[in-house]
Amino acid sequence: MLWGSVALSLIDILWLSLALSFLAAFRAHKTLERYETCRLYMLFQDLVRYGKTKRYMKRDDWLCVFDVPKRWFWHFYAASVCWNGLLLGFYLNFIFQHQFHLHPWLTKLLDILTGEPTTASQVPQLSTLLVQLLLWVHSLRRLLECLFVSVFSDGAMHLVQYMFGLGYYIVLGLTVLCSDRLGKGSGTLFSQLDWFHVTGFALFIGASLLQHQSMVLLAKLRTGKSGTVETLAHRVPMGGWFEVVSCPHYFAELLIYVSLSLVFGGLSLTWWLLVLYVLFNQALAAQLCHDLYISKYESYPKHRKAFIPYVL
């Protein structure tokens, strides 16, 4: 959906609903802590926490049945590399062959999600190509970091979180194509190059470097000078943007999605609704980490914010 439109498409409603759900979860976490012994609240916490924030949580034994290893995070990025790489291939074929070769069910799905039928007069859009490419690069980098940089402990996540994560990257790739359906690209591909493509690309690179630096610093908390793992214990992260915020890697994730919205020229309401979801999702995860650090380490720096430097 574009800003000039009034009616929300199905894909818009999906991202808006998810954004509001995580906003509600963020508020519930902040206001319902006094009900920590309530089983319903315990179930809620079990569904929103993962890794170290779940490890120190008091919960019933039956909830552990639904635990899967947090190190399975790499499955999300592997699925994204494959799926979004496939969609990128489809779009490149569209550009060079002028035929959008998709299976009928996928074409029908895009029609349903956008409320806009497929037309034979679609023009390849540079914004869509760049966003799909950058999304694939982002997923590949995160996959490599999970496999070769991050040091995972025996932390867990809920099976629902695992299934949600897999589905998220599938819908994410479809959202790129939905934004393409509602775009107004014209002319040749390279004639569409504009300042917002360059600005968005520059922000993407900067945010990706920030996130990678943060992941390296987190890994170094558990490795020695030789790079071998020395401990799986949790320590206070130091250095880089960790000096001003507890979770700079989550903040970088938000900036990455903002950068992709800029590549779309900032005109796609659909993508801004996705950014809103990422904001509340990452804010909740960051607040859980921040609260854990404060409760576990008496000397934890008081000036650090949880998520956005000097703000939140």
Side-chain angles (χ1 to χ4, degrees), residues 5 50 57 69 71 75 83 112 119-120 136 141 148 151 156 169-170 185 208-209 223 246 257 259 284 295:
S5 303
Y50 57 86
M57 172 187 167
R71 65 175 60 93
H75 294 183
W83 171 248
I112 295 173
T119 63
W136 184 83
R141 176 182 61 80
F148 303 110
V151 180
Y169 284 99
I170 300 300
S208 297
L209 291 175
T223 59
S246 294
Y257 282 87
S259 74
L284 174 60
S295 64

Side-chain angles (χ1 to χ4, degrees), residues 6-69:
V6 177
L8 294 177
S9 65
L10 183 58
I11 192 68
D12 296 330
I13 294 173
L14 172 62
W15 289 120
L16 179 60
S17 299
L18 286 174
L20 293 177
S21 296
F22 276 89
L23 173 60
F26 180 79
R27 296 303 303 167
H29 166 69
K30 297 292 290 183
T31 59
L32 300 178
E33 293 178 326
R34 61 182 179 275
Y35 299 108
E36 61 179 353
T37 58
C38 173
R39 288 196 171 185
L40 185 59
Y41 180 74
M42 187 183 300
L43 177 60
F44 162 72
Q45 291 289 332
D46 194 47
L47 287 172
V48 299
R49 293 176 180 269
Y50 57 86
K52 57 181 174 288
T53 63
K54 174 172 286 191
R55 187 174 187 177
Y56 299 98
M57 172 187 167
K58 296 179 181 179
R59 54 184 179 144
D60 294 337
D61 292 339
W62 69 271
L63 291 173
C64 298
V65 175
F66 303 98
D67 285 353
V68 296

Side-chain angles (χ1 to χ4, degrees), residues 156-297:
M157 58 180 164
H158 200 282
L159 180 62
V160 171
Q161 293 173 313
Y162 177 74
M163 299 304 296
F164 179 85
L166 291 176
Y168 168 76
Y169 284 99
I170 300 300
V171 178
L172 186 59
L174 294 174
T175 303
V176 179
L177 296 182
C178 289
S179 297
D180 176 79
R181 288 282 192 91
L182 302 174
K184 299 294 183 181
S186 61
T188 63
L189 198 65
F190 293 105
S191 68
Q192 298 174 25
L193 183 64
D194 210 329
W195 65 268
F196 53 79
H197 294 122
V198 179
T199 303
F201 179 77
L203 179 58
F204 175 85
I205 295 298
S208 297
L209 291 175
L210 169 60
Q211 190 172 61
H212 178 70
Q213 178 199 49
S214 302
M215 301 309 296
V216 170
L217 289 173
L218 284 174
K220 286 184 177 180
L221 294 175
R222 295 177 172 176
T223 59
K225 294 182 179 180
S226 63
T228 57
V229 178
E230 294 183 345
T231 180
L232 294 180
H234 298 104
R235 297 173 175 174
V236 177
M238 306 291 289
W241 281 47
F242 281 108
E243 298 301 324
V244 294
V245 68
S246 294
C247 301
H249 47 309
Y250 294 153
F251 178 56
E253 186 80 2
L254 173 62
L255 291 180
I256 286 172
Y257 282 87
V258 170
S259 74
L260 298 181
S261 189
L262 292 179
V263 173
F264 274 128
L267 299 176
S268 174
L269 178 58
T270 301
W271 200 266
W272 281 118
L273 291 174
L274 168 58
V275 170
L276 194 64
Y277 155 75
V278 174
L279 169 63
F280 295 138
N281 174 278
Q282 298 296 282
L284 174 60
Q287 189 65 53
L288 291 171
C289 288
H290 186 68
D291 292 346
L292 175 64
Y293 288 144
I294 291 177
S295 64
K296 186 177 180 183
Y297 306 105

Side-chain angles (χ1 to χ4, degrees), residues 99-128:
Q99 293 182 352
F100 209 176
H101 291 300
L102 293 176
H103 290 288
W105 66 267
L106 185 52
T107 300
K108 182 63 176 178
L109 180 58
L110 292 175
D111 291 345
I112 295 173
L113 290 175
T114 62
E116 297 286 336
T118 304
T119 63
S121 59
Q122 282 183 281
V123 176
Q125 297 183 61
L126 179 60
S127 294
T128 303

